[in-house]
Amino acid sequence: MASLSKADLFRELLPLDYGKKLMLLERAGVDLVNARSIGRLVLRCHRLKIETGAWTKEKTPKEQRLCNICRVLENELHFIFHCVNYSVLRDQYINYFFDTHYANLTDVDKLKRLYTEGSAREINNLGLFIRKAMKTRGEIVRL
């Protein structure tokens, strides 16, 4: 699985400045709470291990910032596309889009296409997935 730097992910998914993108999404009918959830993930304002491992005094090496469930690098792409812990939510909210429209693309390209070309409903579903999966993750991490 590809490992992207914060700058790479930002560059890939935010071709417009963030404020302008939020304004355009709102006009298109995207719930701003969902748009912000996507933005937080893209901007790495979250608590996935890829980010929190950098917060410790002795930074955790990137290759050791592992998902508690899957034992692979816990980055944004793993969280959205691969972690088995969110498979039911993924099936409920976003897999239909990726399986129907972009099955042959890389994970980064799938996300980029959805974020830049998806309908308001599809973008809302991605935001809902992120919010609900983050809530689920928070409950698991606290156990």
Side-chain angles (χ1 to χ4, degrees), residues 35-51:
R36 285 185 187 110
S37 294
I38 297 167
R40 280 190 199 97
L41 196 76
V42 171
L43 296 171
R44 289 211 167 147
C45 298
H46 56 66
R47 295 190 177 276
L48 297 177
K49 295 274 181 80
I50 191 69
E51 188 63 20

Side-chain angles (χ1 to χ4, degrees), residues 2-138:
S3 179
L4 296 174
S5 71
K6 186 183 289 193
D8 290 339
L9 190 63
F10 184 80
R11 221 180 348 269
E12 285 292 327
L13 296 179
L14 293 176
L16 301 172
D17 73 74
Y18 186 62
K20 189 173 186 178
K21 184 70 174 183
L22 278 178
M23 184 182 70
L24 293 173
L25 289 172
E26 184 178 30
R27 282 190 196 151
V30 173
D31 183 326
L32 282 184
V33 173
N34 294 329
R36 285 185 187 110
S37 294
I38 297 167
R40 280 190 199 97
L41 196 76
V42 171
L43 296 171
R44 289 211 167 147
C45 298
H46 56 66
R47 295 190 177 276
L48 297 177
K49 295 274 181 80
I50 191 69
E51 188 63 20
T52 61
W55 298 350
T56 57
K57 188 172 185 172
E58 299 278 330
K59 288 186 179 183
T60 304
K62 194 176 279 188
E63 63 275 2
Q64 293 177 16
R65 300 175 193 179
L66 305 179
C67 170
N68 291 341
I69 307 295
C70 306
R71 307 307 301 161
V72 299
L73 182 67
E74 187 186 41
N75 64 12
E76 296 83 356
L77 299 177
H78 172 73
F79 174 79
I80 292 173
F81 293 105
H82 302 288
C83 186
V84 297
N85 196 52
Y86 315 117
S87 59
V88 171
L89 287 171
R90 195 175 296 114
D91 286 343
Q92 183 179 359
Y93 290 103
I94 60 175
N95 272 352
Y96 74 91
F97 178 81
F98 295 124
D99 293 346
T100 304
H101 300 291
Y102 304 118
N104 297 324
L105 296 178
T106 66
D107 291 345
V108 172
D109 286 338
K110 287 177 187 178
L111 200 54
K112 185 177 179 180
R113 288 275 180 93
L114 174 59
Y115 191 64
T116 58
E117 300 172 9
S119 69
R121 178 176 168 256
E122 293 160 344
I123 293 171
N124 273 321
N125 279 352
L126 176 61
L128 279 167
F129 166 79
I130 291 168
R131 286 177 35 220
K132 290 183 179 215
M134 282 291 185
K135 182 178 180 190
T136 299
R137 184 187 178 281

